[in-house]
Amino acid sequence: MTAINQNYLELQGSYLFSEIAKRRTKFIQENPNAEIISLGIGDVTRGLPQSVLKAMHSAVDELAEPGTFRGYGPEQGYDFLIKAIIENDYKSRGVDIAVNEVFVSDGSKCDVGNIQEIFSTDSIIAVQDPVYPVYVDTNVMAGRSGKYNQDTKRYENIVYLECTAENNFKPSLPDRKVDLIYLCYPNNPTGMTLTKDELKVWVDYARENNCLILFDSAYEAFIQEDDVPHSIYEIEGAREVAIEFRSFSKTAGFTGIRCAYTVVPRDLKGFDVEGNAVIINDLWNRRHTTKFNGVSYVTQRGAEAIYSEEGKQEIASLVEYYMTNAAIIRDGLASIGLEVFGGVNAPYIWLKTPKGMDSWSFFDKLLNEANIVGTPGVGFGQSGQGYFRLTAFGSRENTEKAVDRIRKLSL
Ligand code: MLT
């Protein structure tokens, strides 16, 4: 008999987006003629930028020749991509990041899920509620969550930072000692942001209270307003307390290609059981080189291309396309009296379900009566109950059609 990791039995239900896909498939089987519009999982629909395609094609050709063939690359990523990241995503904003502080990977989901592994299983984690479920579930798997309380529908050892309309979706600082704080901005799922001053409060808190911020910035490219920080390192002192996660998935259509990166500053220190300081970057490097063999050369050449002049223009127009969809959804739903949030600096629209309907009932109503798949807010946590998320990543035609169908519902 092989004993299993008992922590897995504390996981609740199935992974949110698998559950939604299951319900969608069942509906299609029962209603084969329904024309479904999917605005659930945040998956992009536009093609890859031409600059990316060109770079990937030529990288494939290089691989055909013994002289330019590449086998295993550096696990942390090729220098050409890391340098392009540093130059364009950080230096241009006055932030200094060194080459050995960037780790290229196959996705932010994996990185935000794996990062917890280098911290003590005794660490107390704080998450925003609602929250991207990966942060919680990976800590449950690691045994940090404690038991799930069926009444509160929360884990006993996790600190939940509530984000609702009442606090304009801006969480208060934790009311007890925590070690790791997951922050996601622009936020998934609410689509809301913090200003520089608001984010500074968190950085200062982490410095004063010896905690570490895991800053998920996968939606940074969608920021439109000036006072919204693109990187946590724009805030003074953040290098000592924050790890940042970035992704090419939504920005450049890489959800299927897979490429992202994580920044772990060398200034960041944790402590061993004897209280000696340990450089966290070394631990992540050790983990990454042991468990990961690097992103393919072809993919990294594709990612590099988004920083070319042509690539930047293409990314800008992709972002504009999706943010126009966001405005169509926001304005369309607001025009029928729904309360909508987000969608200004993020490709997600978070809405209050009408007439106090619970999130899954609204999901069923949209699916059955309008053939639209969205994401129930409660799937992101208890504070998401009574809310619903729509993505702006659909095609223009489907986005307009979806808004039209919702307008016609009796809500
Ligand atoms: C989402 O819909 O929240 C995201 O697409 C999920 C992900 O990026 O893994």
Side-chain angles (χ1 to χ4, degrees):
M1 284 280 277
T2 306
I4 51 116
N5 176 349
Q6 189 73 18
N7 301 323
Y8 273 63
L9 303 185
E10 281 302 322
L11 291 165
Q12 298 303 303
S14 49
Y15 180 60
L16 174 63
F17 294 105
S18 314
E19 177 62 29
I20 291 171
K22 205 165 79 190
R23 292 190 186 213
R24 177 182 188 272
T25 306
K26 181 167 176 282
F27 182 83
I28 293 172
Q29 278 162 357
E30 289 164 2
N31 302 275
N33 297 324
E35 192 206 330
I36 301 280
I37 298 178
S38 285
L39 301 180
I41 190 165
D43 197 3
V44 291
T45 50
R46 308 294 287 164
L48 285 175
Q50 283 304 312
S51 55
V52 171
L53 280 179
K54 273 190 262 170
M56 291 180 85
H57 278 300
S58 96
V60 168
D61 290 340
E62 280 182 60
L63 296 184
E65 302 297 329
T68 49
F69 170 77
R70 318 264 175 148
Y72 291 124
E75 294 94 341
Q76 301 87 343
Y78 284 102
D79 264 11
F80 62 78
L81 176 56
I82 294 179
K83 285 184 177 152
I85 288 169
I86 291 173
E87 201 59 36
N88 293 281
D89 288 347
Y90 292 102
K91 224 176 185 163
S92 63
R93 299 195 183 277
V95 173
D96 281 330
I97 297 292
V99 168
N100 62 357
E101 295 177 322
V102 178
F103 296 84
V104 175
S105 76
D106 60 351
S108 283
K109 178 178 180 176
C110 318
D111 288 351
V112 296
N114 291 326
I115 196 78
Q116 47 75 28
E117 191 180 308
I118 60 171
F119 300 105
S120 161
T121 45
D122 295 334
S123 306
I124 300 293
I125 71 152
V127 294
Q128 292 172 268
D129 181 5
V131 67
Y132 181 47
V134 175
Y135 313 154
V136 171
D137 285 359
T138 52
N139 278 288
V140 175
M141 291 168 178
R144 259 179 222 102
S145 64
K147 293 269 170 233
Y148 186 75
N149 182 324
Q150 293 293 348
D151 297 327
T152 60
K153 305 223 178 317
R154 286 179 165 171
Y155 290 97
E156 63 187 7
N157 293 344
I158 293 181
V159 175
Y160 294 86
L161 310 169
E162 297 192 354
C163 300
T164 59
E166 286 66 45
N167 61 8
N168 203 19
F169 304 95
K170 297 182 184 190
S172 307
L173 294 166
D175 57 7
R176 61 180 166 118
K177 168 74 186 136
V178 300
D179 301 295
L180 297 168
I181 304 172
Y182 289 79
L183 290 181
C184 175
Y185 285 106
N187 188 257
N188 178 16
T190 65
M192 301 296 269
T193 47
L194 294 183
T195 62
K196 283 190 183 145
D197 286 347
E198 287 165 343
L199 185 56
K200 183 174 182 306
V201 170
W202 287 90
V203 171
D204 291 348
Y205 175 84
R207 293 178 76 187
E208 282 155 23
N209 294 277
N210 285 324
C211 35
L212 197 142
I213 299 174
L214 300 167
F215 193 74
D216 185 349
S217 193
Y219 299 94
E220 164 276 334
F222 298 91
I223 294 172
Q224 309 290 313
E225 293 180 325
D226 285 342
D227 198 27
V228 179
H230 286 249
S231 163
I232 194 165
Y233 305 121
E234 288 174 47
I235 313 295
E236 203 191 324
R239 281 184 56 91
E240 292 154 35
V241 290
I243 292 177
E244 179 163 285
F245 304 89
R246 292 271 191 108
S247 171
F248 297 104
S249 283
K250 318 292 158 99
T251 318
F254 272 48
T255 48
I257 302 282
R258 312 303 307 151
C259 197
Y261 67 88
T262 291
V263 177
V264 189
R266 298 279 310 166
D267 310 21
L268 214 53
K269 299 198 181 66
F271 294 89
D272 67 15
V273 282
E274 279 142 17
N276 304 308
V278 176
I279 294 180
I280 288 177
N281 176 292
D282 288 337
L283 299 186
W284 186 244
N285 189 52
R286 187 68 170 85
R287 191 231 166 252
H288 203 68
T289 49
T290 304
K291 294 198 174 181
F292 188 60
N293 255 342
V295 174
S296 81
Y297 175 69
V298 174
T299 299
Q300 292 191 59
R301 279 294 184 200
E304 179 196 23
I306 74 163
Y307 296 111
S308 64
E309 276 320 304
E310 186 192 351
K312 283 180 191 167
Q313 279 171 22
E314 289 176 309
I315 296 305
S317 72
L318 273 178
V319 167
E320 193 193 335
Y321 182 92
Y322 291 130
M323 292 313 287
T324 303
N325 283 353
I328 290 169
I329 299 173
R330 259 184 81 93
D331 297 348
L333 301 189
S335 76
I336 52 167
L338 287 173
E339 229 183 313
V340 287
F341 308 93
V344 174
N345 293 297
Y348 292 123
I349 289 86
W350 187 243
L351 60 110
K352 188 111 194 66
T353 54
K355 297 190 186 126
M357 206 182 274
D358 72 68
S359 301
W360 278 109
S361 303
F362 191 67
F363 174 91
D364 288 336
K365 184 173 174 73
L366 272 200
L367 183 57
N368 290 315
E369 295 175 27
N371 300 160
I372 295 168
V373 178
T375 309
V378 72
F380 297 101
Q382 273 316 102
S383 299
Q385 181 59 281
Y387 290 91
F388 199 79
R389 194 193 77 175
L390 292 171
T391 100
F393 287 127
S395 67
R396 178 65 41 78
E397 191 192 347
N398 276 349
T399 302
E400 284 169 346
K401 235 189 242 177
V403 170
D404 223 47
R405 290 187 195 172
I406 296 173
R407 270 207 199 101
K408 290 185 182 127
L409 290 176
S410 69
L411 294 172

